[in-house]
Amino acid sequence: EIILPLSIVLRALKLVNPTQYRFEHLATQLKWRLQEGRGEAVYQIGVEDNGLLVGLTEADMKASLKTLKRMAEKVGADIALLREREVDYDSDKTTRKIAEVLVRKVPDDQQFLDLRVAVLGNVDSGKSTLLGVLTQGELDNGRGRARLNLFRHLHEIQTGRTSSISFEILGFNSKGEVVNYSESRTAEEICESSSKMITFIDLAGHHKYLKTTIFGLTSYCPDFAMLVVSANKGIAGTTREHLGLAMALKVPIFIVVSKVDLCSHGTVERTVRQLERVLKQPGCNKVPMVVSSPDDAVTAAQQFTQSACVTPIFTLSNVSGESLDRLKVFLNILPPLSNSKEQEELMQQLTEFQVDEIYSVPDVGTVVGGTLYSGVCREGERLVVGPTDEGRFLRLKVGSIQRNRSACRVLRAGQAATLALGNFDRSFLRKGMVMVSPKMNPTICCQFEAAIVLLFHAKTFRRGSQVTIHVGNVRQTATVQYLHGKVSVCLICDSCSSI
């Protein structure tokens, strides 16, 4: 089953003039819930514990919000009003309202809350342009100007097509306001000003770069996937494959229909209906939810975290900025994927860092980038890296650590970062290696059994078939040695691997 993020919701009928004992109890409860939700919780005011919408008068609502603000200040958190709405209760003619408030507190051992979102979609669907608009704070000119800052290679600028994996950041402060590169901010300033950081993993859309896209999905462990679909082309090219990959890897997915400024309202509706039909098909079994207002965005974020079936659909324009705010509201509310207990269990395990990128930096030396799968990594820690071509693991020492271009002394499980290795010989390193604690006594394997589901294959899948295996950040060719029954196979890797 898909692992859903933990959405912590607290309910209170009203918080008017509580006694000191009651206030302390409420503050302690809020602090506990924030820890459980890894720094985020939604407070519903005017709602009974059983979910009954009772509502409060305007005076009681103001008093309750004031009390909640005091509670948040008590625990070092901030609040942001998500929405207010009127309710009918017992034919009372007095106007009654309920309110939903986002309470956010960055955990003491973290600089900010961190989410990773993989960006999928067919070539020319507007993925990089959308990220450029979100992270740069400027609308596109209709010819792809917003995406230029995201490209890493000259041929990407010339063709307008992403061929490599790039990372972009979008921050939100404690009040839910967007923090990005507008106003000439640097990456360091964004990190310092943000209490929540969204890291977008921009993946390739063209079919010939499909292996790169799969590597991005399996290696960087995204919390969510954002599938971008062009309104004027609909479901085309690799859209279905990317949707299938996200579902096979059990990554919760939401959909963005871009380029609505190029189409008539009828064309946009036709694309949305096409998506709804695909999502409802057997095999997908999703419940599409079209987001048509900021209120819908709040509801979509809450439903998305409670049910694996719900798939929000946004329609927007990168040129006019139409409905862009709904996506920002949605991203601001999305909670972390794992709760505090799961995070603590991962941190107590031995250190395992997956090497995804390798660089040579002047005056720094060899630098590796990747994700810490388990444990804790500190500056000066001694690890072993491998396997080499001979199947050995080599000792090394971690120098400095950086996250989102900012210095970091401690790296925790689930976080992505770059590690400086000083004078360690880069020729010994390659993508797919692991850096682990020497206490782990790592072993390698060249043969293993796997249970597979054959989605599609142009030829007969039989003994001797050659395949490419994607396991985490390992991408390895292998040969099918045996077939056991219908789903179990034995594979032999063409070289030693840390799978």
Side-chain angles (χ1 to χ4, degrees):
E1 294 182 358
I2 292 178
I3 300 174
L4 290 173
L6 184 65
S7 181
I8 301 298
V9 178
L10 297 97
R11 295 189 176 114
L13 181 56
K14 60 181 177 179
L15 304 170
V16 179
N17 297 325
T19 63
Q20 185 62 30
Y21 175 80
R22 172 67 173 161
F23 178 81
E24 294 292 339
H25 173 75
L26 289 170
T28 302
Q29 182 191 46
L30 178 61
K31 182 178 180 180
W32 173 254
R33 292 299 188 186
L34 285 170
Q35 291 176 349
E36 193 177 5
R38 290 183 61 190
E40 287 187 334
V42 175
Y43 220 111
Q44 296 179 339
I45 301 176
V47 182
E48 292 275 16
D49 289 339
N50 60 5
L52 180 64
L53 305 180
V54 177
L56 298 178
T57 62
E58 188 170 350
D60 285 349
M61 181 59 73
K62 284 183 179 180
S64 296
L65 289 173
K66 187 176 180 180
T67 301
L68 181 57
K69 186 175 182 180
R70 286 175 51 216
M71 290 163 50
E73 290 173 350
K74 173 81 174 177
V75 299
D78 290 291
I79 65 172
L81 182 64
L82 294 178
R83 60 178 174 178
E84 273 187 323
R85 51 177 172 158
E86 295 183 2
V87 294
D88 296 324
Y89 181 71
D90 282 352
S91 67
D92 189 352
K93 294 183 179 180
T94 306
T95 302
R96 288 177 170 268
K97 293 182 178 181
I98 64 170
E100 290 181 85
V101 183
L102 177 65
V103 186
R104 178 175 291 160
K105 179 184 184 297
V106 179
D108 297 332
D109 59 353
Q110 293 184 35
Q111 184 182 0
F112 45 73
L113 304 174
D114 192 17
L115 291 181
R116 289 191 293 274
V117 178
V119 184
L120 304 171
N122 188 41
V123 63
D124 297 331
S125 61
K127 301 184 295 299
S128 298
T129 301
L130 174 59
L131 295 190
V133 170
L134 287 172
T135 59
Q136 303 297 324
E138 293 184 3
L139 296 175
D140 188 51
N141 64 348
R143 295 186 295 276
R145 181 180 63 189
R147 68 190 177 190
L148 293 179
N149 291 326
L150 277 66
F151 290 146
R152 302 174 63 187
H153 305 289
L154 178 61
H155 70 267
E156 293 182 331
I157 297 174
Q158 293 171 340
T159 63
R161 294 178 176 178
T162 302
S163 63
S164 59
I165 300 172
S166 62
F167 300 87
E168 297 300 324
I169 56 174
L170 174 67
F172 293 93
N173 62 21
S174 57
K175 297 180 180 178
E177 299 167 342
V178 171
V179 182
N180 54 25
Y181 286 107
S182 60
E183 302 175 6
S184 301
R185 288 191 182 98
T186 63
E188 291 81 3
E189 290 172 338
I190 293 175
C191 293
E192 290 172 1
S193 304
S194 302
S195 60
K196 183 173 187 175
M197 189 75 72
I198 309 290
T199 302
F200 292 105
I201 307 168
D202 190 16
L203 302 175
H206 200 282
H207 191 274
K208 70 178 179 179
Y209 304 122
L210 185 61
K211 289 182 180 179
T212 302
T213 301
I214 296 174
F215 176 80
L217 278 172
T218 57
S219 174
Y220 295 106
C221 302
D223 298 301
F224 306 98
M226 178 171 70
L227 180 67
V228 182
V229 179
S230 175
N232 58 339
K233 293 184 179 179
I235 299 177
T238 56
T239 303
R240 290 178 186 270
E241 287 178 277
H242 286 187
L243 176 62
L245 283 170
M247 293 183 60
L249 294 170
K250 298 179 174 60
V251 180
I253 190 166
F254 61 95
I255 299 175
V256 172
V257 179
S258 64
K259 302 185 181 182
V260 299
D261 55 291
L262 294 179
C263 313
S264 65
H265 181 70
T267 303
V268 176
E269 287 293 317
R270 186 162 60 249
T271 300
V272 171
R273 287 197 299 270
Q274 185 184 19
L275 284 167
E276 289 176 335
R277 284 197 299 271
V278 170
L279 292 171
K280 291 177 181 177
Q281 286 177 352
C284 283
N285 294 322
K286 299 289 187 180
V287 179
M289 180 180 181
V290 179
V291 178
S292 55
S293 68
D295 191 69
D296 284 349
V298 176
T299 304
Q302 294 175 348
Q303 295 290 331
F304 187 51
T305 60
Q306 294 169 4
S307 172
C309 296
V310 175
T311 303
I313 301 176
F314 298 84
T315 57
L316 54 81
S317 168
N318 297 317
V319 176
S320 66
E322 177 186 343
S323 305
L324 206 58
D325 287 342
R326 300 172 193 168
L327 181 60
K328 293 176 183 177
V329 169
F330 178 80
L331 292 171
N332 177 43
I333 304 172
L334 276 182
L337 193 60
S338 59
N339 59 31
S340 57
K341 184 178 179 181
E342 293 170 342
Q343 182 72 5
E344 288 176 7
E345 289 176 353
L346 278 174
M347 289 170 57
Q348 289 171 2
Q349 297 176 15
L350 293 175
T351 303
E352 180 181 345
F353 182 87
Q354 306 278 4
V355 178
D356 300 325
E357 302 284 348
I358 305 166
Y359 314 96
S360 292
V361 181
D363 301 325
V364 176
T366 303
V367 175
V368 295
T371 305
L372 187 67
Y373 272 43
S374 62
V376 175
C377 183
R378 296 179 174 84
E379 289 183 346
E381 187 157 354
R382 297 187 181 276
L383 304 171
V384 293
V385 62
T388 63
D389 293 338
E390 297 82 23
R392 297 186 297 116
F393 283 79
L394 308 175
R395 293 183 177 275
L396 55 77
K397 181 181 177 181
V398 177
S400 59
I401 304 173
Q402 283 200 349
R403 288 191 64 214
N404 292 316
R405 306 180 183 96
S406 298
C408 173
R409 290 190 176 275
V410 181
L411 188 65
R412 294 174 175 81
Q415 296 178 343
T418 53
L419 312 181
L421 305 181
N423 296 324
F424 189 85
D425 191 346
R426 176 179 174 172
S427 63
F428 290 127
L429 299 173
R430 58 181 170 83
K431 291 182 182 180
M433 281 186 166
V434 290
M435 293 166 50
V436 298
S437 169
K439 297 178 182 178
M440 191 177 287
N441 294 322
T443 57
I444 61 172
C445 71
C446 293
Q447 179 174 331
F448 65 95
E449 289 190 1
I452 67 168
V453 176
L454 196 63
L455 300 175
F456 171 78
H457 199 273
K459 300 178 181 178
T460 305
F461 189 77
R462 61 183 185 276
R463 180 178 178 179
S465 295
Q466 293 184 326
V467 296
T468 301
I469 304 164
H470 295 265
V471 180
N473 68 336
V474 177
R475 183 166 55 185
Q476 178 68 57
T477 55
T479 303
V480 177
Q481 188 72 10
Y482 302 107
L483 291 173
H484 306 289
K486 294 183 178 180
V487 295
S488 181
V489 298
C490 178
L491 299 108
I492 295 182
C493 298
D494 295 343
S495 64
C496 292
S497 171
S498 58
I499 294 176

